[in-house]
Amino acid sequence: MKTAAQLIVDKKNTEVISIAPNRPVIDALIILAEYKIGALVVMDQDRMVGIFSERDYAREVVLKGKSSKITTIEEVMTKNVLVGQGKDTFEKAMTLMTENHIRHLPIMDGHKMIGMLSLGDVAKEMIVYQKNLIKELESYVKA
């Protein structure tokens, strides 16, 4: 079973895509669109201080009538962020995401940010894992 760190290495874009907390929301939206992703890690220097997602934008900017040009990320980001560790299995990451109703999970190696997994990333790996398991079981039954 692959670890969260292995899933990050397997992604086509392995860099940590982030934004500073003092940037306007419009900058985050541009980055999200450019990379075709749903969330950004909010970094203050080398320290994660939050996460900004499309969900944050919808709930904290659009529905509250705020301007994405003058509202800063810090004002609307999720501050209490759940994180996974690189050594965690993808199944543990999926369970954490599902139980907490989150779609994006920053992955740490100790105190260092190594990437972000989406629910889609772990679901895709679960499908591969289950297909391989079925093949192994079929081989066992035929033997």
Side-chain angles (χ1 to χ4, degrees):
M1 187 173 288
K2 284 189 178 180
T3 65
Q6 288 170 318
L7 287 187
I8 288 172
V9 169
D10 290 348
K11 292 177 75 154
K12 73 178 169 186
N13 187 358
T14 59
E15 72 179 294
V16 176
I17 303 168
S18 65
I19 192 161
N22 63 344
R23 302 299 306 157
V25 168
I26 191 71
D27 289 357
L29 297 176
I30 291 167
I31 295 168
L32 292 173
E34 179 183 334
Y35 285 91
K36 297 180 178 150
I37 56 175
L40 294 171
V41 177
V42 183
M43 301 289 285
D44 188 3
Q45 309 286 318
D46 290 334
R47 188 174 67 90
M48 182 181 66
V49 294
I51 191 171
F52 176 80
S53 69
E54 295 165 325
R55 197 180 270 184
D56 293 318
Y57 175 67
R59 292 177 180 172
E60 299 299 324
V61 179
V62 175
L63 289 178
K64 293 184 178 177
K66 295 179 179 179
S67 167
S68 55
K69 291 182 180 177
I70 60 172
T71 303
T72 64
I73 295 296
E74 189 171 37
E75 295 174 61
V76 296
M77 69 184 184
T78 299
K79 293 178 179 140
N80 296 324
V81 181
L82 290 174
V83 298
Q85 293 295 319
K87 64 183 179 190
D88 293 343
T89 64
F90 77 86
E91 186 178 38
K92 182 174 180 180
M94 181 180 244
T95 300
L96 185 62
M97 295 167 83
T98 303
E99 288 177 352
N100 290 283
H101 307 287
I102 59 174
R103 295 184 179 130
H104 300 91
L105 184 66
I107 302 298
M108 309 290 282
D109 184 9
H111 295 291
K112 182 182 180 227
M113 169 72 57
I114 60 171
M116 176 108 73
L117 290 178
S118 71
L119 195 52
D121 295 329
V122 294
K124 185 170 100 177
E125 183 58 31
M126 179 61 83
I127 290 167
V128 169
Y129 177 76
Q130 288 179 341
K131 281 182 179 180
N132 290 334
L133 188 58
I134 289 167
K135 283 180 186 175
E136 287 178 23
L137 291 171
E138 285 173 343
S139 294
Y140 177 75
V141 170
K142 289 178 185 177

